Amino acid sequence: MLNTAIKAARRGATIINRASFDLDRVKVTEKQFNDFVTEVDHAAEAAIIEVLTTAYPDHAVLAEESGASANLHDENDNVWIIDPLDGTTNFIHGFPQYCVSIALQQRGVITQCVIYDPTRNEMFTASKGAGAFLNDKRIRVTRCDKLADALIGTGFPSRDLSGLDEYLAMFKAMTSKCQGLRRPGSAALDLAYVATGRLDGFFEKGLAPWDIAAGALLITEAGGIVGNFSGDSDYLHKGDVLAGTPKVFAQMVNVMQPFSAKK
């Protein structure tokens, strides 16, 4: 299943790479304020789904652009969760920070994942219980144990600005506690960076399952922890995500818990 997901990610990335050479010709549609989709998103998603469903025709799909497949229901034990191009705004500006994200959920548990960065040819993979890898080399979260020494990734509101003031308060609280904050613009890739030690932690509000699923498995298989702002495990469908090395995670929870309590 992991090899099939890798094949699907590469198939989607081929479409993305081809389009990246002539961005002026890419058709862009605004789904809502500051929420863009391109013909590349749709084409890459179709190619990914074709590879997965050809190999596993009984499996269900939950994808960012096409939504849920007709066979997505409680009785289906296997669901592919897909973001064909995480970081679309970066992509359409030629900013090289975007990726393909694919995860397999089996009976409610994420068991396989792939995050592929086509600009750097970096393939992040994990299987539950078997560790996390970058281009077949084992990866681990950093040994950072103090938030004061940590580099933290985040994402801030761009579509729904009603929560901007709350986020700015979070930004202030976290900035005062950590070594630095970064906002590259692709949540899935940010989570992969936590897994491979380029970031020590990450937090963001209002994400979708396809933004989170693959990266969360990468981090846990790399020795990190993922939760919501209270540190609980119901982050996948609630969308408020906090992740990091074990000790940094615990300290981030202390910073973010007041914002969770406001809900």
Side-chain angles (χ1 to χ4, degrees), residues 22-262:
D22 195 359
L23 289 173
D24 289 340
R25 297 185 63 182
V26 174
K27 294 179 181 177
V28 180
T29 303
E30 192 172 21
K31 293 189 283 188
Q32 55 179 307
F33 177 73
N34 273 352
D35 186 8
F36 300 100
V37 63
T38 72
E39 57 188 346
V40 179
D41 294 73
H42 289 294
E45 183 172 289
I48 291 166
I49 291 172
E50 181 183 16
V51 171
L52 297 174
T53 57
T54 297
Y56 304 104
D58 295 333
H59 287 195
V61 169
L62 177 63
E64 179 175 17
E65 306 307 336
S66 58
S69 59
N71 63 337
L72 179 59
H73 45 69
D74 292 341
E75 289 75 30
N76 199 311
D77 291 335
N78 301 283
V79 182
W80 292 99
I81 304 174
I82 303 164
D83 192 337
L85 179 51
D86 186 57
T88 298
T89 300
N90 285 347
F91 171 75
I92 62 180
H93 286 276
F95 188 82
Q97 189 77 3
Y98 48 84
C99 67
V100 177
S101 178
I102 303 171
L104 176 62
Q105 185 180 57
Q106 296 183 290
R107 298 184 180 180
V109 177
I110 305 299
T111 60
Q112 309 287 344
C113 74
V114 172
I115 292 176
Y116 182 51
D117 176 355
T119 69
R120 299 173 181 84
N121 192 29
E122 291 189 333
M123 182 72 73
F124 300 86
T125 60
S127 298
K128 187 170 179 58
F133 298 83
L134 168 55
N135 293 344
D136 298 324
K137 183 179 179 180
R138 186 74 177 260
I139 57 175
R140 299 286 295 178
V141 297
T142 68
R143 295 180 180 178
C144 184
D145 59 3
K146 294 180 181 178
L147 183 56
D149 297 330
L151 184 64
I152 305 297
T154 188
F156 43 74
S158 60
R159 295 185 285 270
D160 180 4
L161 301 184
S162 63
L164 184 58
D165 288 342
E166 183 187 24
Y167 176 77
L168 291 174
M170 292 180 195
F171 184 93
K172 181 179 179 180
M174 191 63 72
T175 298
S176 67
K177 298 292 185 181
C178 72
Q179 195 168 91
L181 278 183
R182 299 291 182 267
R183 200 276 190 180
S186 169
L189 208 48
D190 291 344
L191 292 168
Y193 280 14
V194 174
T196 199
R198 295 171 186 171
L199 293 169
D200 302 298
F202 174 82
F203 72 96
E204 186 168 353
K205 282 178 61 66
L207 292 174
W210 44 79
D211 299 315
I212 305 167
L217 180 61
L218 275 173
I219 290 171
T220 55
E221 288 298 318
I225 302 177
V226 184
N228 62 20
F229 289 172
S230 296
D232 299 324
S233 60
D234 61 343
Y235 55 84
L236 187 62
H237 292 283
K238 292 195 174 180
D240 293 353
V241 177
L242 193 154
T245 71
K247 291 187 178 180
V248 168
F249 176 87
Q251 293 164 64
M252 290 176 71
V253 169
N254 288 335
V255 175
M256 300 302 292
Q257 210 154 24
F259 301 101
S260 177
K262 291 180 181 179

